[in-house]
Amino acid sequence: MFSIKVKNLEYVLLVISAMVIPMYFTDFRLEKSSIKIRLSDVLALFSISIFVLLLLKNKIIIKYPVGFNYICIFVIYCFFNALVQVGLTKAIIATVQWVLILFTLVVVYTSAVKNPEKFRAIFIKTLLVICFFTLVYHLMHGHLTRYKLLGDAKYAFALTGVILISCAYYFDDKSYLKPLIFLYPVILLSLERKGILAFHMVTFFYIFITLRSLNKFIMSALCSLTVLLLALFYDLSFLNSFTFFEYSDLEMLYLDEEQALWISNLHRQSLVTNGWDIFTTHFIFGVGPKMLPVYMGEFYINQGLALYTHNVFLDTLIEQGTIGLFLLILPYLIHVTRDAGLKNKKDKTIFFAFCLYSIFMLFFMSGGAPSMVIFYLPIFKAFIANKMSD
């Protein structure tokens, strides 16, 4: 009788764990005063509970990517750093939040490795349903373009596209590209700039990788020749004053907050500028979890402008310091040097494609569960790039 229950529990765990990561890219949440409970968090807790129950019954074995166990060092650092800087309550809250998302990734990874085909099917179908729901929601509200009313759901389009094209490459199966016929126009119409650019960067990366050696040489030669011709016959003096930022240092120093309320680029540049200033004065241990808006508030009269910098790396540097960011990326350093699976060409290609996507996206995202999913997506590539024979 128990074996039947265990089998049912294993199936429920498979379904929930395959759905929970895509659900982080939705806006389904319950808000009570200052507390926000995501549906994805509820599913994560449910999956963890079932996982622990099966673990206690010796019916499942924990699996995680090579090197990910080193993230425990960051969790310990996060707790004590927060304890010293912001007190016990915030230290517990910050640590629990980290543990929840990190352990959820392990639970999902375990299910993905144990039953890859079914997991991958549910995973991709859930992402496609989320994209469809988000599109229909915006169309019903009169938004033919710019699908950003549902918060983090705006990232689902490009992410789904990257997952589909990665599966098509890894399994050499063009059937994964069929949904892209309908999804690609939606990715463009979403007007989510970083998602659109990241998707195309990954696409061109796969195209370049799949070209034959001669074609790669020809393409590289043409690019080099183009650069050489530009250098010889085109006035490139404008590069002397080239900057990644749109507004001057003077405009940042004397920020027009009325304009910043309406001009997104002006506001975001001021956040990055002020955030970097905060980091340079707290570069070792940071200011502590959840404290960035407090310090940012010192730069603005209108406290509604005092937000995170929309750059996960800079946000982490500010709140956790250089030590914290190093410990956060430590699993990558271990993974790259020790994972034998990266010796396989396709696994290595998928890994670097996901790295390309993650790094670009995180430069323009704020911290939170969705950004942490994207942060560790490359080393958790077995969510989709995994075969039963492995």
Side-chain angles (χ1 to χ4, degrees):
M1 187 69 178
F2 177 72
S3 61
I4 296 175
K5 291 182 179 179
V6 167
K7 189 174 182 180
N8 291 339
L9 281 177
E10 288 177 343
Y11 182 75
V12 171
L13 178 62
L14 172 66
V15 173
I16 294 177
S17 61
M19 293 176 62
V20 67
I21 296 300
M23 290 303 294
Y24 276 112
F25 297 91
T26 65
D27 198 44
F28 299 127
R29 66 179 69 190
L30 176 65
E31 296 190 21
K32 289 288 185 179
S33 63
S34 61
I35 301 175
K36 297 179 182 179
I37 303 174
R38 290 172 173 265
L39 176 58
S40 52
D41 292 330
V42 175
L43 290 176
L45 288 170
F46 192 32
S47 64
I48 290 172
S49 301
I50 298 174
F51 183 85
V52 171
L53 179 61
L54 293 173
L55 194 64
L56 293 174
K57 297 293 182 179
N58 296 318
K59 298 297 181 180
I60 200 167
I61 300 174
I62 294 179
K63 299 284 186 180
Y64 49 82
V66 174
F68 193 68
N69 51 323
Y70 284 83
I71 198 65
C72 294
I73 302 174
F74 170 79
V75 174
I76 295 170
Y77 166 83
C78 179
F79 175 78
F80 285 104
N81 186 40
L83 182 64
V84 171
Q85 299 209 60
V86 295
L88 180 62
T89 302
K90 286 190 176 181
I92 293 174
I93 293 173
T95 306
V96 168
Q97 288 176 337
W98 277 107
V99 170
L100 176 62
I101 182 61
L102 295 174
F103 196 63
T104 300
L105 287 171
V106 172
V107 171
V108 175
Y109 184 86
T110 302
S111 296
V113 171
K114 187 176 180 180
N115 201 334
E117 282 80 10
K118 288 183 179 179
F119 177 92
R120 186 166 54 253
I122 299 171
F123 187 92
I124 292 175
K125 286 176 182 177
T126 305
L127 277 173
L128 289 171
V129 168
I130 290 169
C131 291
F132 178 75
F133 175 84
T134 305
L135 174 63
V136 171
Y137 179 88
H138 283 85
L139 293 178
M140 289 177 64
H141 285 77
H143 287 245
L144 302 180
T145 62
R146 193 176 174 81
Y147 310 137
K148 301 185 179 183
L149 294 179
L150 293 179
D152 295 326
K154 61 189 175 185
Y155 303 124
F157 300 110
L159 175 62
T160 306
V162 169
I163 295 295
L164 289 171
I165 200 168
S166 297
C167 285
Y169 168 80
Y170 189 80
F171 298 102
D172 196 20
D173 186 352
K174 294 182 180 179
S175 65
Y176 284 105
L177 298 179
K178 291 180 181 178
L180 270 178
I181 297 172
F182 303 98
L183 183 63
Y184 182 68
V186 179
I187 293 174
L188 298 179
L189 291 171
S190 70
L191 300 184
E192 179 55 34
R193 291 173 294 179
K194 53 184 171 290
I196 293 171
L197 289 173
F199 170 76
H200 285 92
M201 287 168 63
V202 171
T203 301
F204 288 128
F205 174 75
Y206 281 129
I207 291 173
F208 183 79
I209 288 294
T210 53
L211 289 175
R212 294 180 179 178
S213 299
L214 179 61
N215 292 335
K216 287 181 183 178
F217 174 78
I218 294 172
M219 182 179 290
S220 300
L222 288 173
C223 290
S224 300
L225 180 61
T226 302
V227 172
L228 180 61
L229 291 174
L230 284 174
L232 290 175
F233 301 105
Y234 190 76
D235 182 11
L236 301 178
S237 59
F238 69 92
L239 292 175
N240 295 328
S241 58
F242 175 78
T243 175
F244 286 103
F245 296 111
E246 183 177 350
Y247 299 93
S248 67
D249 293 339
L250 190 63
E251 288 174 298
M252 292 298 100
L253 185 61
Y254 299 99
L255 180 69
D256 186 334
E257 295 194 6
E258 286 297 323
Q259 280 191 333
L261 284 170
W262 299 101
I263 303 176
S264 175
N265 288 349
L266 176 62
H267 182 205
R268 291 196 177 190
Q269 185 176 328
S270 72
L271 290 171
V272 171
T273 302
N274 297 334
W276 183 257
D277 188 59
I278 297 170
F279 164 66
T280 54
T281 55
H282 302 82
F283 61 92
I284 299 178
F285 298 106
V287 299
K290 311 299 181 184
M291 292 301 291
L292 192 158
V294 176
Y295 281 78
M296 191 70 78
E298 298 176 5
F299 293 87
Y300 298 98
I301 297 172
N302 184 341
Q303 294 302 296
L305 294 172
L307 305 174
Y308 281 82
T309 67
H310 290 81
N311 184 317
V312 169
F313 301 108
L314 183 55
D315 287 347
T316 305
L317 282 171
I318 295 169
E319 293 197 335
Q320 303 291 353
T322 50
I323 295 177
L325 183 61
F326 172 77
L327 294 176
L328 201 60
I329 65 175
L330 182 59
Y332 272 95
L333 303 178
I334 306 299
H335 186 78
V336 170
T337 55
R338 296 186 184 179
D339 186 14
L342 288 180
K343 294 180 180 178
N344 178 287
K345 180 185 176 182
K346 284 195 171 182
D347 282 294
K348 189 184 296 184
T349 301
I350 290 281
F351 175 79
F352 284 110
F354 281 165
C355 282
L356 188 66
Y357 170 77
S358 298
I359 291 172
F360 186 84
M361 289 294 292
L362 294 173
F363 264 109
F364 304 97
M365 288 180 66
S366 291
S371 61
M372 283 301 99
V373 169
I374 293 176
F375 189 96
Y376 284 117
L377 183 61
I379 63 175
F380 282 90
K381 57 184 174 55
F383 285 168
I384 58 102
N386 189 35
K387 301 175 183 177
M388 186 66 76
S389 58
D390 293 341

